[in-house]
Amino acid sequence: MLSLLDLCARIDSGRLTPEGAVGLVREAIAAREPEIGALVCVDPAPAIPTTGPLAGIAVGIKDIIDTADLPTAMGSPIYAGWRPRADAPVVARLKSLGAVPLAKTTTTPFAFLDPTATRNPHHPGHTPGGSSAGSAAAVAAGMLPLALGTQTGGSIIRPAAFCGVVGVKPSFRLLPTVGVKCYSWALDTLGLFAASVPDAAHALALLADRPAIAAHADAGALRIGIVRQDFCAAPDPEAEAALARAARAAERAGARVRDYALPARFGEAFAAHAAIQDYEVRQSLAWEYATHRDALPPRLRAALDAAQGIETAAYDAARRTAHHARRGLKEVFSEDGLDAILTYAAPGAAPAGLDQTGDSRFNRLWTLMGVPCVTLPVDRTSAGLPVGVQVITRFGDDGRALAAAGLIERALRD
């Protein structure tokens, strides 16, 4: 994989020019893209700044994020060839840092469940996950050092686990979702994919203009709770093995690790996620449903059909349940003495076949809670498929989440 920090260091030292760095990415795309299918389009002649902390760093932009220089098709024929007049603020921020938004990466249509044609770089017969399929796959294949994604259920954490890269779903609204096609305004969260935890921390610190996120390298004597989310169906054995391996690595690195069972209110909140998401998508995709229903893919069309019957009272009750659980999560971290939670990133390795994107059951609660989550690759199956874990900290403590993930990453490497 391409390391963002390595490229930056080579550019800063004069061993590589920004143009040369983009050239390396183009070579990697030419070599891997035909078999992976992670990209919608590539800018043939982008502006390449020579100054800025990310000068020469090529970035993939999920194709529900507005770009003025490239089409934004939402993964749907309804928007084929559509060109926004302006960049989304996160894209404008990347450009101000010197980065090059080089390619649009594939997304499931409107970031729901109907799969893309993108293949898992570790096994072409397996899904890369979704909905941020192209972003995860492109970083995993070494085609891009950084890519943007979004998460409403598990669309960053799960594909990062399936593809064996670091994925970061930051605290809710840490990065602006203006200029991003809305699915659920209470849940949609903008995040990123990178080759390593330090790469991801560096990128997030710059994007959010919060240097402390990357400076929080020393995790200290962390108190980590192992959470198995008993309100969900059990994971595959390889996910359980990866969780145990990550826990042992954390202990070797000096963390205090213990099993922790979430109170019942979190199971109730997990169940509330669907009502919030589906009620809101009924409104956010109202025009597409009213005028282009037959052009919508089958899973999304069926979800929108069902969403028409959700009553406002059920939505409001789900929001109250989520609010109470968020308040309760503060107590988990403060009164129950946890600095971080370690749990499954996905039920197991990427499933076989390209007709699905996998199950987000171990992600949805944490998206609803709005807390920072980091996918960390931990293991491989006998077939070579990656298996990851998920590190979670309290709202606004994104630096600690990355520091904890970095501590485990180093322990696994050593």
Side-chain angles (χ1 to χ4, degrees):
M1 288 186 278
L2 290 170
S3 166
L4 183 152
L5 285 173
D6 175 66
L7 289 172
C8 287
R10 291 163 66 186
I11 292 168
D12 290 344
S13 69
R15 291 177 288 143
L16 184 67
T17 65
E19 293 82 0
V22 174
L24 289 176
V25 168
R26 287 192 182 280
E27 291 173 8
I29 289 172
R32 296 301 310 275
E33 172 60 9
E35 63 175 305
I36 305 299
L39 308 180
V40 178
C41 58
V42 179
D43 194 332
I48 304 177
T50 57
T51 59
L54 292 179
I57 299 300
V59 184
I61 311 295
K62 184 177 179 179
D63 200 27
I64 60 166
I65 302 172
D66 285 351
T67 46
D69 299 326
L70 293 168
T72 302
M74 319 295 179
S76 170
I78 297 171
Y79 286 91
W82 183 61
R83 290 288 288 266
R85 292 289 299 273
D87 289 325
V90 70
V91 177
R93 174 66 178 167
L94 281 167
K95 288 182 176 180
S96 74
L97 294 166
V100 181
L102 183 66
K104 297 304 284 283
T105 57
T106 61
T107 177
T108 63
F110 301 103
F112 191 55
L113 299 178
D114 301 272
T116 70
T118 306
R119 294 169 289 281
N120 193 304
H122 301 280
H123 197 306
H126 289 248
T127 179
S131 59
S132 306
S135 290
V139 172
M143 292 193 286
L144 291 166
L146 179 64
L148 299 184
T150 63
Q151 178 159 311
T152 306
S155 293
I156 293 172
I157 297 301
R158 185 174 82 262
F162 286 172
C163 291
V165 298
V166 172
V168 182
K169 184 206 76 66
S171 294
F172 187 62
R173 298 301 189 220
L174 181 70
L175 299 177
T177 55
V178 178
V180 180
K181 181 61 175 176
C182 179
Y183 195 93
S184 165
W185 57 86
L187 299 170
D188 292 349
T189 309
L190 188 63
L192 55 88
F193 299 87
S196 71
V197 173
D199 286 347
H202 185 68
L204 183 61
L206 288 170
L207 279 173
D209 195 19
R210 287 171 168 80
I213 288 175
H216 204 336
D218 182 9
L222 284 174
R223 301 163 298 175
I224 297 177
I226 307 298
V227 171
R228 289 183 168 80
Q229 303 188 50
D230 295 334
F231 44 81
C232 296
D236 297 336
E238 57 260 33
E240 184 62 47
L243 185 63
R245 186 175 180 217
R248 291 193 300 270
E251 286 184 312
R252 288 198 306 272
R256 287 177 283 168
V257 178
R258 62 185 173 99
D259 288 335
Y260 183 84
L262 288 170
R265 74 178 68 177
F266 294 100
E268 297 166 3
F270 169 79
H273 176 279
I276 294 171
Q277 173 183 274
D278 295 348
Y279 182 89
E280 292 186 352
V281 73
R282 185 177 77 190
Q283 298 178 64
S284 60
L285 295 185
W287 177 82
E288 290 84 357
Y289 184 74
T291 61
H292 295 280
R293 180 183 176 279
D294 291 344
L296 296 171
R299 288 181 174 93
L300 178 57
R301 187 167 61 244
L304 287 169
D305 287 344
Q308 306 308 308
I310 299 175
E311 296 181 356
T312 302
Y315 171 68
D316 290 343
R319 291 177 64 206
R320 286 192 294 272
T321 297
H323 175 70
H324 292 314
R326 290 187 193 110
R327 293 180 63 182
L329 191 57
K330 293 179 182 179
E331 297 172 5
V332 166
F333 286 115
S334 58
E335 297 179 14
D336 291 352
L338 294 183
D339 297 311
I341 287 170
L342 185 63
T343 189
Y344 314 109
L354 301 179
D355 59 345
Q356 60 159 315
T357 63
D359 191 316
S360 65
R361 66 180 181 266
F362 292 117
N363 315 124
R364 295 195 290 269
L365 171 66
W366 310 112
T367 307
L368 183 64
M369 295 298 95
V371 291
C373 307
V374 180
T375 300
L376 182 66
V378 170
D379 224 334
R380 293 289 184 96
T381 67
S382 58
L385 289 164
V387 184
V389 298
Q390 182 176 191
V391 177
I392 299 158
T393 54
R394 72 184 72 202
F395 178 82
D397 211 358
D398 298 73
R400 188 182 296 274
L402 285 154
L407 177 141
I408 298 172
E409 182 182 63
R410 291 191 299 274
L412 288 167
R413 183 176 62 240
D414 295 341

